[in-house]
Amino acid sequence: MTGLRQRLLTEAWGGTWHRMWRTKKVASGVMETPLSRCLSTLDITLLGIGHMVGAGIYVLTGTVAKDTAGPGIVLSFLLAGLASFLSALCYAEFGARVPKAGSAYVYTYVTVGEFWAFVIGWNIILEHMIGAASVARAWSGYVDSFFDKALSNFTMSTIGQMHAGYLASYPDFLAFFVTLVYCSFLTLGVKGSAYFNSIFTLINLCVMTFVIVVGMYFADFSNWTSGEGFLPFGFSGIISGAATCFYAFVGFDSIATAGEEAKEPAKSIPRATLVSMSVVTAGYVLVGATLTLMVPYYSLNPAAAIPDAFAAHGATWAKYVVSIGALCGMTTTLFGSLFSLPRCVYAMAVDGLIFSWLARVSDKTKVPIITLLLCGFFSALIALLFDIEKLVEFMSIGTLMAYTIVSASVIILRYQPASRCNIKSPSHTQIATPTPVGPPSPTTPMEDTMKYSSDTCSLLGSCSSLVLGDPPGEGGELRSTFRWLLPVLGQREAGLVVAWTVVVFTMISAALCSLLQFGSDFLALPYPAVWAVILTVVLVIALIFSVVVITAHHQNELVLSFRVPLVPLLPLTSIFFNVGLMMHLNPMTWLRFIVWMVLGLLLYFAYGQHHSREGEPVSSYSTLLSEPAPAGNTVFGSVQHTLSHVTAKIASAASEDKKPIVEQDEAGNDDL
């Protein structure tokens, strides 16, 4: 049987697979990559913590506590951390499945297809560029404040002010050069850069600990009980504060971008994601509690809340310690953005969606130096010229969209049939319709999405726990207790109903959140509009029905080093929360998003679609997914077109003797 399998694989792929296996040596189930696999779990964890804990903890805490939530900022940070944690869980599972650079872009590519992956990747590029520029400008402003605005005053007196639209009042040359200097550090190699980031992150964590421990010495619990109490702005203040605090947790996705540089990505990325999110959430909550216990919330100075709180107790020297922590925090946040940005561009270039020369990696440093310098220059240029305050909200839309699609992708993968990961005899499984090897035929984005969702399980995950036969509920099948849904759903390919239901759930969530956001006046008590109430009830019922339809199907039982618990409830909650935050964005933000997407789509249809490697029999994904899984002795499937071609040939040969071509033991132990 092994000989038959060898012959069929050789015939289908023309020997390409075997040549690829010889040139791409794989050890311990980890894909070989032109990047350097040298980062430990601790390195990646500190990378995530450093990217999340920036100046926000020293500035955002005072602003939200005074103007939005009061002492209830503790609950705001807790709620925002919980919402971010839901998205982080989904990233952690994908980090275990697909240990490649590119984060949400790669996860979208292998789940719902190339088009939507480009949309996400294009927005992630802008997100990191604006993120890096905004932090560089904040770093510059913080240093400028030490010299009583001498730097900014000198620039304005020498060059003058800029009075145009979204441009800043003056060009910030310090922010420009700081960004370029940090880029130069990153070109030295990922391990040296990781040491640099780890040192500054540990200093920042020490300053946070200092603020919490010493601040609690001056705590006065009457600041939580006197006056208007713990919730002076009510429950709505907690929600509004959580919406603002949510963006303080943006940055954990930088952990996923290190997938090709981690020593053991399947284990390191989930662990680093969960640990960093836990540490950051605890830090934000404790700092918020300490600050509002030290002084009444209404007396806080948003510009320098923590130093002024210590000064109120006579500890004016503490401002120097806090300033060190703030500079270290902004340094690591800037580092995280500049670290993630070129790796997303690199991943898109490897797939042919943007210019291929951006995928070149230095043989000496194992870093995409050209991409890094180019991305750093554009980030520095934005920091030099633009008013970051008007652009920061713009970057959030790409982040939220990425979180939404990654959460949806987890559900889609979990309900794909496991048989597509394991080759069985035709009597026990339905073989997908053969697709010729060659350039993909033109499809609409939604057709592309559904085509990918039907083949995704063959691309991702381990099949070591599966046995031959057709066990009930191997994935995507309707449970027997929900057969009453058949007249509504009809006979569909396993997994397809769930994929469409996730799309419907997202659209209904957008409609409901839009109604609550823009039609709140019609729902206000005591005389709400009848049509608004009826529409709200209908949308809520539709959401509940969507959840029922998804849970009515069996999940597959693939073995992974990490799996999101409580699927589909946790990912669906994440989708709803992210969509709700997107509906709260300014309409001008959506207009700018449309303009940015038009530019991206012009690039995609003019270049990316013609140079895409999606239809190639062997790509970076087939190399990755043909390796043994870290969780067990398995063999992954190939990419879309090759998989269908090989499966069809094997099915044809197997139909002659009705015996399985690949048995479970052979799949893990035979050397192809």
Side-chain angles (χ1 to χ4, degrees), residues 331-398:
T331 297
T332 56
T333 302
L334 177 57
F335 176 90
S337 295
L338 293 176
F339 178 90
S340 304
L341 174 57
R343 282 153 180 81
C344 182
V345 175
Y346 161 81
M348 296 177 70
V350 166
D351 295 329
L353 301 186
I354 57 179
F355 308 113
S356 59
W357 51 269
L358 292 172
R360 295 174 185 170
V361 176
S362 169
D363 294 332
K364 183 177 181 180
T365 63
K366 303 297 182 181
V367 171
I369 292 181
I370 297 177
T371 304
L372 176 58
L373 294 177
L374 187 64
C375 292
F377 174 77
F378 280 110
S379 298
L381 193 63
I382 295 174
L384 175 69
L385 299 175
F386 286 93
D387 185 354
I388 300 302
E389 292 182 1
K390 296 180 180 179
L391 295 177
V392 165
E393 190 182 40
F394 186 22
M395 77 177 187
S396 62
I397 191 170

Side-chain angles (χ1 to χ4, degrees), residues 88-94 96-97 266 270-271 274 414 559-565:
L89 288 173
C90 298
Y91 272 78
E93 177 169 322
F94 268 106
R97 288 179 181 269
R271 291 174 182 174
L274 300 181
R414 194 65 69 84
V559 175
L560 297 170
S561 60
F562 177 82
R563 285 166 61 97
V564 179

Side-chain angles (χ1 to χ4, degrees), residues 415 477-484 550-555:
Y415 287 90
E477 299 172 340
L478 190 65
R479 299 176 186 270
S480 58
T481 54
F482 289 90
R483 293 297 180 185
W484 54 272
I550 295 174
T551 54
H553 292 77
H554 286 286
Q555 298 183 31

Side-chain angles (χ1 to χ4, degrees), residues 44 102 106 193 202 210 252 257 289 356 388 391 396 442 508 512 521 565 620 652:
I44 301 175
V106 170
S193 303
L202 290 174
F210 165 83
F252 66 81
T257 62
S356 59
I388 300 302
L391 295 177
S396 62
I508 296 174
L512 179 59
D521 293 340
S620 62
S652 176

Side-chain angles (χ1 to χ4, degrees), residues 117-192:
F118 180 87
V119 170
I120 293 300
W122 187 245
N123 282 282
I124 289 177
I125 291 174
L126 182 65
E127 168 202 337
H128 288 308
M129 277 200 300
I130 294 179
S134 62
V135 175
R137 192 113 189 173
W139 194 99
S140 172
Y142 209 90
V143 172
D144 191 29
S145 66
F146 277 113
F147 299 97
D148 296 325
K149 306 293 182 181
L151 297 176
S152 57
N153 291 333
F154 175 78
T155 303
M156 287 186 286
S157 62
T158 305
I159 299 179
Q161 295 186 352
M162 299 184 294
H163 303 281
Y166 293 100
L167 295 181
S169 58
Y170 67 94
D172 195 334
F173 291 101
L174 180 58
F176 180 84
F177 287 114
V178 163
T179 305
L180 294 182
V181 168
Y182 283 0
C183 274
S184 66
F185 278 118
L186 287 167
T187 59
L188 299 178
V190 65
K191 191 61 179 178

Side-chain angles (χ1 to χ4, degrees), residues 20 32 83 102 155 195 198 208 227 263 278 283 305 308 310 313 332 362 369 379 389 476 513-514 570 624:
M20 178 271 293
E32 182 179 293
T155 303
Y195 283 136
S198 299
M208 283 179 57
K263 294 178 181 178
S278 301
D308 283 6
F310 278 101
H313 293 277
T332 56
S362 169
I369 292 181
S379 298
E389 292 182 1
C513 293
S514 299
L570 290 188
L624 168 72

